[in-house]
C-alpha cells in the first residue's frame, strides 16, 4: 500500500493515543442500514483477514476509514417520479403541487433504498505522533475532513486543523521555478501549473517539459505565478505540490522501492508492514523539508 495523494492536518504532539485501538473499535464500520444512504467507521488497514484497527510503526499509526454507500442514481428516481406524477395527474385531473412531489420523491427513495446496490469504499490515513500531523490519502478536502471527523468521533476530541503556511505557497513555488535555490534534496520535476493573478486570468498547464526552459520564463515575465509544481526528493519520492498544500501524485521511486526488493518476506502482512514503514519514513523526510521551506505552522500544544 502506498498513498497517492496527501492532505495534511496538524494536531498537538501531546495528544494521548494510548487507548486508540479500543476507541477505534467502538467506532468500527457497521453495515449500512436498509433505509440509510451510507455508513462510515473504522476497518482493519491490512484487510478483513487481519485483526487490529490501529497498526503502529515507529510512532506512526495506520488507520483506515471504511464505508458503504448505497447506489441510487438520481436519473432512476426522477424517471419513476415522473411516471407517478403523470399517473396522479391523470387520475385527479390536475398537476400535483410541490408538497405532493416532495412526498412522492421521499416515498420513492424509501422504497428503493433496501434494494439499492452497496459500494464499499476505504480511505487510509497516517498519524505521525512525532511530527503531530495526520495524512489522509485523498486530494479531496471534503473526503479528508470526513476521515478527521471519524477520528474525532472515536477520540472524543481531536484538535486537528489543515496545515497552514506562514508564507504564501504560490510565492515560494514561483520562486523555485524562477531560479531561487531549492531546499537541500529537492529538485524540479517536469510538470507545473501557472495562473494569471487576476480572477479571470489564463491558466497554463505544462507536463513532461523542462521547467527551466524559455517558454516557462516567458510565462513568468508575463506575470503568471506557479500554483502547482512537480518536485523530486533525493531521487526517492516524486510529487506535485499545490498552493493549497495538498501533495498530489505522491510516488516512491526506484531509489526507495529498491529497499523493498532487496529483502524477502514470507507473508502478505510482513509485506504490508514493510511498505507502510517505507512510505511513512519517506513521508516524514518530505514533511520536514516542506515544513522548513514553507514555514508550516504547528498545532497548539
Amino acid at each position: 500500500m502506498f498513498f497517492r495523494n496527501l492532505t495534511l492536518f496538524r494536531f498537538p504532539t501531546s495528544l494521548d493515543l494510548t487507548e486508540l485501538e479500543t476507541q477505534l473499535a467502538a467506532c468500527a464500520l457497521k453495515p449500512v442500514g436498509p433505509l440509510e444512504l451510507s455508513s462510515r467507521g473504522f476497518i482493519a488497514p491490512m484487510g478483513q483477514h487481519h485483526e487490529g484497527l490501529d497498526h503502529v510503526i515507529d510512532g506512526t499509526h495506520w488507520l483506515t476509514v471504511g464505508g458503504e454507500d448505497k447506489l441510487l442514481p438520481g436519473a432512476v428516481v426522477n424517471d419513476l417520479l415522473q411516471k407517478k406524477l403523470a399517473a396522479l395527474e391523470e387520475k385527479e385531473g390536475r398537476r400535483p403541487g410541490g408538497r405532493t412531489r416532495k412526498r412522492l420523491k421521499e416515498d420513492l427513495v424509501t422504497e428503493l433504498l433496501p434494494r439499492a446496490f452497496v459500494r464499499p469504499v476505504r480511505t487510509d490515513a497516517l498519524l505521525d505522533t512525532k511530527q503531530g500531523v495526520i495524512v489522509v490519502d485523498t486530494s479531496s478536502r471534503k473526503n479528508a475532513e470526513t476521515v478527521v471527523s471519524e477520528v474525532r468521533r472515536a477520540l472524543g476530541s481531536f484538535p486537528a486543523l489543515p496545515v497552514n503556511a506562514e508564507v504564501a505557497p504560490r510565492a515560494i513555488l514561483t520562486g523555485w521555478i524562477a531560479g531561487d535555490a531549492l531546499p537541500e534534496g529537492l529538485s524540479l520535476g517536469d510538470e507545473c501549473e501557472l495562473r494569471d493573478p487576476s480572477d479571470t486570468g489564463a491558466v497554463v498547464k505544462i507536463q513532461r517539459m523542462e521547467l527551466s526552459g524559455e517558454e516557462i520564463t516567458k510565462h513568468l515575465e508575463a506575470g503568471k505565478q506557479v500554483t502547482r509544481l512537480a518536485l523530486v526528493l533525493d531521487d526517492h519520492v516524486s510529487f506535485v505540490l499545490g498552493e493549497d498544500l495538498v501533495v498530489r501524485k505522491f510516488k516512491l521511486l526506484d531509489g526507495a522501492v529498491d529497499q523493498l526488493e532487496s529483502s524477502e518476506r514470507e507473508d502478505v502482512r510482513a509485506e504490508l508492514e514493510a511498505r507502510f514503514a517505507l512510505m511513512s519514513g519517506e513521508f516524514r523526510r518530505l514533511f520536514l523539508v516542506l515544513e522548513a521551506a514553507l514555514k508550516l505552522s504547528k498545532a497548539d500544544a
Side-chain angles (χ1 to χ4, degrees):
M1 52 71 57
F2 291 132
F3 288 20
R4 297 180 181 178
N5 300 286
L6 314 177
T7 298
L8 314 177
F9 299 77
R10 298 302 299 261
F11 63 86
T13 54
S14 58
L15 191 68
D16 182 10
L17 297 177
T18 55
E19 300 297 325
L20 184 57
E21 178 70 38
T22 301
Q23 292 168 316
L24 296 179
C27 296
L29 175 65
K30 297 179 181 179
V32 62
L35 299 181
E36 293 179 320
L37 281 170
S38 63
S39 176
R40 290 292 183 274
F42 293 94
I43 61 176
M46 292 191 179
Q48 59 182 344
H49 300 299
H50 299 274
E51 296 182 357
L53 301 177
D54 175 26
H55 190 74
V56 189
I57 294 180
D58 190 25
T60 302
H61 299 252
W62 176 13
L63 315 176
T64 302
V65 172
E68 293 186 351
D69 294 334
K70 291 282 185 69
L71 298 179
L72 195 59
V76 173
V77 176
N78 290 331
D79 181 60
L80 292 174
L81 177 61
Q82 293 305 316
K83 291 178 180 178
K84 283 183 174 291
L85 290 172
L88 189 60
E89 183 176 358
E90 182 178 352
K91 178 181 178 180
E92 298 183 352
R94 61 184 179 84
R95 186 173 181 80
R99 290 185 180 180
T100 300
R101 294 170 61 89
K102 181 179 179 181
R103 176 179 57 79
L104 287 175
K105 186 172 184 178
E106 291 174 347
D107 291 344
L108 267 176
V109 171
T110 301
E111 177 186 341
L112 294 172
L113 272 177
R115 293 180 283 153
F117 288 106
V118 176
R119 178 183 63 184
V121 296
R122 65 172 284 163
T123 306
D124 292 290
L126 177 158
L127 274 77
D128 187 336
T129 57
K130 294 184 179 181
Q131 304 302 324
V133 59
I134 174 172
V135 186
V136 185
D137 183 15
T138 179
S139 61
S140 164
R141 183 71 66 183
K142 180 180 179 181
N143 291 343
E145 291 282 3
T146 296
V147 172
V148 170
S149 294
E150 286 299 312
V151 176
R152 187 173 294 117
R153 180 167 71 95
L155 296 179
S157 174
F158 185 49
L161 296 173
V163 291
N164 182 46
E166 295 180 4
V167 294
R170 182 180 292 200
I172 296 295
L173 298 179
T174 302
W176 287 347
I177 206 173
D180 290 351
L182 277 80
E184 184 177 357
L186 277 186
S187 59
L188 294 177
D190 62 356
E191 176 181 341
C192 73
E193 178 182 277
L194 302 104
R195 289 178 178 264
D196 189 286
S198 63
D199 294 337
T200 58
V203 178
V204 177
K205 296 182 179 181
I206 295 175
Q207 294 181 316
R208 296 183 293 276
M209 180 182 292
E210 175 66 42
L211 299 185
S212 58
E214 183 179 349
E215 182 176 343
I216 299 293
T217 300
K218 289 181 178 179
H219 286 304
L220 295 177
E221 291 175 346
K224 293 185 179 68
Q225 300 173 338
V226 179
T227 53
R228 291 188 186 183
L229 180 62
L231 297 160
V232 177
L233 177 62
D234 291 333
D235 293 326
H236 276 212
V237 177
S238 66
F239 60 98
V240 175
L241 178 62
E243 65 170 340
D244 56 1
L245 300 180
V246 173
V247 175
R248 297 172 173 85
K249 299 184 180 181
F250 180 81
K251 181 180 180 181
L252 297 186
L253 304 177
D254 290 343
V257 178
D258 284 348
Q259 300 175 40
L260 288 176
E261 298 176 348
S262 63
S263 58
E264 296 183 358
R265 279 163 283 279
E266 296 181 353
D267 56 29
V268 174
R269 181 184 180 89
E271 177 70 19
L272 289 173
E273 286 181 342
R275 285 174 174 267
F276 178 67
L278 174 61
M279 189 200 69
S280 59
E282 293 295 339
F283 163 74
R284 184 173 288 172
R285 292 175 57 244
L286 172 60
F287 182 77
L288 290 174
V289 171
L290 297 182
E291 182 181 42
L294 299 170
K295 295 182 172 55
L296 301 181
S297 57
K298 296 182 181 294
D300 295 332

